[in-house]
Amino acid sequence: MSHLRTRAVHAGQHPDATTGAIATPISQTTAFGYGTLEHGAAIFAGEAPGYRYSRFANPTVAALEAKMADLEGAPAAVAFASGTAATSSVLLGLLRPGDELVFLGPLYGGTEGLMRSLGERWGIKVTDATASGLAAALTPATRLVWVETLTNPTLRLHDLAEVAALARARGVPTVADNTFCTPCLARPLELGIDLVLHSMTKYLGGHGDATGGIVAGSEALVGAVRKTGMGHVGGNLAPQEAFLFLRGIKTLPLRMAAHCEGALAVARFLAAHPAVRAVHYPGLECHPQHALAQRQLQEGFGGMVSFELARCERAAAAAVLDRLRLFTQAVSLGDADSLACHPASTTHSFVSAQTRAAGGVTEGLIRLSVGIEHPDDLVADLEQALRAVA
Ligand SMILES: Cc1ncc(COP(=O)(O)O)c(C=O)c1O
């Protein structure tokens, strides 16, 4: 089972031993009967296999964890009720007061907000190393380095092998949020990153109908995250949601190919349009990190495109967005349906004007999550919407 497309279908799943059901059954139960006191004691002591309570482990969720561990090339994975629950559990599970956390931004605003709030309350120093570079930001107290595989909304990359090597030389674990790329496009663990995190809410689910998160990596690190995440945060994924993610991931490679094809067509169209000042897409030759993207990403450059209007103002962005028919105005991403948003007034409205400016989030910036519709139809929709500012 070496091809990702095959593993996306089969990894972690097998026909049910009792009924032969091919789709993994939803184990909708809180607790599991263990029969005898001694068998229960052995399960609780970790001396016998078996489930005890769904907050700690559940068969449907375990199948999803096994599938994602396989796709990311990790020994272990643990699933959560959201990407945010996964992030909280990594931070709470691996950091303690006095530690330092270094990130390379820009990060998803919710992640940076969580880090800063946790840092303030729990005495953890949080350093943004985007401008200084990682080497200058690492200190003897650094205990975690955080990076995203493609940044939001201007689609920049960090050299993951370089990040991993720098941190490893100091014995510091690294986390890569791989939400925008999925294992189809980027496999950070192969480049030396220690933990991969996803908001499964996006491409992994793929249909905009389930919220979830996952963390994959070594048994030791995932074990520590699981202990905090399930035992103390109680951020476990529900079995019905796990079923939806298992189903969604089966078609992930096919969907990602369609997202990448559509996004490249849209990016090329926008780059040639006179009403557009700049297009951010790593698959375009004019992207400042196109060479790194070619080296680091596989099979395509992702489904996210952002662009800045020549008339770089909110009224112009509104005129274009309000005219779109196929793209729905919404803030999520990775759905089969194409979505569009104005980051300055939505996803990035809670961050400071200074952070927005540093991240290139101007009033004329529009972010597209290119769905799996035919690229010609998406381009036609953008063409008619851009007439509003032509
Ligand atoms: C890159 C990234 N990481 C994490 C999250 C948080 O995920 P969730 O909304 O599932 O909590 C998001 C949400 O948009 C995201 O874009």
Side-chain angles (χ1 to χ4, degrees):
M1 272 220 291
S2 59
H3 292 278
L4 195 86
R5 222 169 111 172
T6 307
R7 284 154 48 212
V9 176
H10 292 283
Q13 294 182 269
H14 47 75
D16 183 60
T18 314
T19 64
I22 293 168
T24 301
I26 301 172
S27 294
Q28 190 69 35
T29 183
T30 308
F32 299 83
Y34 44 74
T36 66
L37 183 150
E38 288 308 333
H39 188 225
I43 291 175
F44 271 75
E47 289 158 4
Y51 294 98
R52 46 186 168 144
Y53 189 57
S54 276
R55 176 156 56 76
F56 296 116
N58 169 283
T60 319
V61 178
L64 171 65
E65 291 170 342
K67 189 185 282 295
M68 279 307 296
D70 184 291
L71 296 187
E72 287 289 6
V78 54
F80 292 93
S82 67
T84 305
T87 302
S88 309
S89 301
V90 171
L91 298 175
L92 289 168
L94 302 185
L95 296 173
R96 48 186 76 230
D99 287 351
E100 291 186 15
L101 162 66
V102 176
F103 73 83
L104 286 163
L107 295 182
Y108 163 61
T111 301
E112 186 177 339
L114 174 57
M115 287 174 173
R116 294 208 180 275
S117 154
L118 192 75
E120 234 170 72
R121 289 163 187 231
W122 297 89
I124 294 162
K125 187 174 169 217
V126 179
T127 306
D128 178 353
T130 318
S132 68
L134 185 57
L138 293 171
T139 78
T142 309
R143 293 287 174 273
L144 202 60
V145 169
W146 199 285
V147 70
E148 291 181 1
T149 51
L150 261 185
T151 69
N152 177 28
T154 48
L155 289 312
R156 295 303 166 103
L157 297 94
H158 301 286
D159 187 325
L160 296 181
E162 203 177 285
V163 168
L166 268 173
R168 259 199 193 175
R170 312 272 192 113
V172 180
T174 44
V175 181
D177 182 329
N178 201 18
T179 300
F180 275 44
C181 288
T182 83
C184 295
L185 308 186
R187 285 188 287 283
L189 300 184
E190 289 174 5
L191 300 172
I193 295 288
D194 297 296
L195 281 177
V196 172
L197 180 144
H198 289 273
S199 165
M200 295 195 292
T201 315
K202 313 297 185 326
Y203 290 104
L204 297 179
H207 296 75
D209 53 13
T211 301
I214 201 150
V215 177
S218 68
E219 295 279 4
L221 284 173
V222 168
V225 173
R226 180 186 286 280
K227 192 170 171 197
T228 300
M230 304 299 129
H232 303 150
V233 177
N236 58 296
L237 183 70
Q240 298 217 16
E241 306 294 278
F243 176 86
L244 290 173
F245 289 118
L246 282 166
R247 187 170 68 167
I249 294 167
K250 282 182 192 260
T251 57
L252 176 69
L254 305 181
R255 287 187 286 106
M256 281 315 284
H259 286 296
C260 292
E261 182 197 359
L264 186 60
V266 159
R268 287 199 172 130
F269 161 75
L270 291 169
H273 199 287
V276 173
R277 178 154 85 189
V279 181
H280 306 291
Y281 187 65
L284 291 182
E285 293 72 16
C286 61
H287 186 281
Q289 295 167 305
H290 182 59
L292 174 61
Q294 280 180 308
R295 205 169 68 237
Q296 194 159 279
L297 304 182
Q298 291 148 43
E299 316 265 336
F301 300 95
M304 301 300 294
V305 179
S306 62
F307 65 101
E308 196 167 49
L309 294 168
R311 250 181 70 200
C312 192
E313 56 192 49
R314 186 166 174 158
V320 173
L321 282 163
D322 293 352
R323 244 174 107 132
L324 286 167
R325 294 185 193 127
L326 215 43
F327 285 83
T328 302
Q329 286 193 61
V331 293
S332 196
L333 60 112
D335 295 1
D337 301 48
S338 286
L339 307 173
C341 77
H342 180 241
S345 62
T346 57
T347 53
H348 289 65
S349 59
F350 302 106
V351 303
S352 68
Q354 197 186 357
T355 307
R356 275 204 296 273
V361 183
T362 62
E363 287 293 330
L365 188 80
I366 291 175
R367 186 187 84 174
L368 304 176
S369 171
V370 177
I372 61 171
E373 303 93 334
H374 197 287
D376 291 352
D377 294 326
L378 297 173
V379 166
D381 192 28
L382 286 162
E383 190 168 31
Q384 66 79 24
L386 281 165
R387 278 190 214 125
V389 290

